[in-house]
Amino acid sequence: MSVLYTLPYGRSILPDAMIKYFNLDISISGPDEKFAKIFPQKRLPTYIDVDEKTGDVYTLTETLAIIQYLMGKVGTEEAHALMGGDCLKTRCSVTRWLSIWNTDLAYSCANAVKQIKGMLPYNKKTFEAEKEAVEHIIVNVVEARLKNFTYLAGEDITIADLYAACLATFPFSFLFDKKWVSNHPVFMRWFNTVKVHPMIADVFKNFAILDAPLAPPQKKKEQKPKQEQPKKEAKAEKPAEEAEPAPEKKAKHPLEALGKSSKFVLDEWKRQYSNNDTRPVALPWFFEHYDPSEWSIWRVDYKYNDELTMTFMSNNLVGGFFNRLSGSINL
Ligand SMILES: N[C@@H](CCC(=O)N[C@@H](CS)C(=O)NCC(=O)O)C(=O)O
């Protein structure tokens, strides 16, 4: 049976909705082992088409190709019209809008939201630049069109509107808040018109607008020890230079109290591990130099391995773990 592999958000939303709307004989699945073997890119959505008569298998990655293929498979007049119909210019405009949303907008949103979720390190400059890029395209490209037209391509609703509205759930999940909505009546008029289309209405069943945009994680400021006000009488008794407040000392990490390790030097271990084969060279070095009076070894097992179907999920978890350990690593 044909399978569409999806995630419950982003680019997967529309292909998933299309299968349900047109009642296609395609099963919908989350990424599994088979997916990882067949699609080394490990990006979603992806599609395996099985011809029930001949047994021929055809695989597709890239959302826009999948949308085009599924619509071609449906082959009805409605599907033809949604792809832009007989007019070459409308069909090409459909592709243009699909591409703008699938690349420029989707990538800028992803690069910003990944910083909020800690999947990318937060950098104020790039974070603000990605948000500005989204705003720039929405105002100068999307709204510039929608000021004079009801839909993105041609005179009627097309698959470009449906895909764009589904992808817009992305910026609505972290950036477009109530204030943004009130400042963008043109965009909102289009969005509210498109999101009730029967193909995608279900997607918006629980749609809500944020009260405020989500903020990236803020680094906690180190609590500097409070400077004591020099006492007046003491000041009078002491010579001028002694009365100067002592230069502020950086708060110590609690583990610094342990002092530097003399026998097992972390930098040397790092070199051994990076420059040599692990089993024959690095590990024997480790056990020869490891000193349990100074260090302890921890083995950590993740409880929910079945959730680790995607490399980026495992990567996030390991990254978060190392972040929390960094105080000890820096010693
Ligand atoms: N060029 C691909 C991009 C697909 C893509 O990046 N999908 C995202 C979800 S919207 C994904 O698979 N993310 C998982 C990951 O990055 O590992 C397309 O147009 O389909």
Side-chain angles (χ1 to χ4, degrees), residues 7 11 42-44 62-63 102 107 310 312:
L7 288 173
R11 295 177 174 92
K42 292 193 190 150
R43 291 278 193 263
L44 294 140
E62 308 311 308
T63 317
N102 194 52
Y107 283 119
M310 302 284 290
F312 80 93

Side-chain angles (χ1 to χ4, degrees), residues 281-318:
V281 184
L283 274 184
W285 186 96
F286 178 88
F287 284 110
E288 199 183 313
H289 294 82
Y290 169 67
D291 177 8
S293 68
E294 289 186 331
W295 297 95
S296 53
I297 302 177
W298 293 75
R299 174 197 154 132
V300 183
D301 284 320
Y302 187 60
K303 262 195 194 172
Y304 311 102
N305 284 329
D306 55 316
E307 290 177 358
L308 301 179
T309 46
M310 302 284 290
T311 320
F312 80 93
M313 291 183 190
S314 323
N315 200 18
N316 290 345
L317 288 163
V318 175

Side-chain angles (χ1 to χ4, degrees), residues 96-123:
R96 169 179 179 245
W97 284 108
L98 286 171
S99 181
I100 288 174
W101 279 84
N102 194 52
T103 54
D104 302 63
L105 281 168
Y107 283 119
S108 283
C109 286
N111 291 339
V113 89
K114 280 179 181 171
Q115 295 194 30
I116 292 176
K117 292 188 175 169
M119 292 154 78
L120 280 177
Y122 171 59
N123 175 307

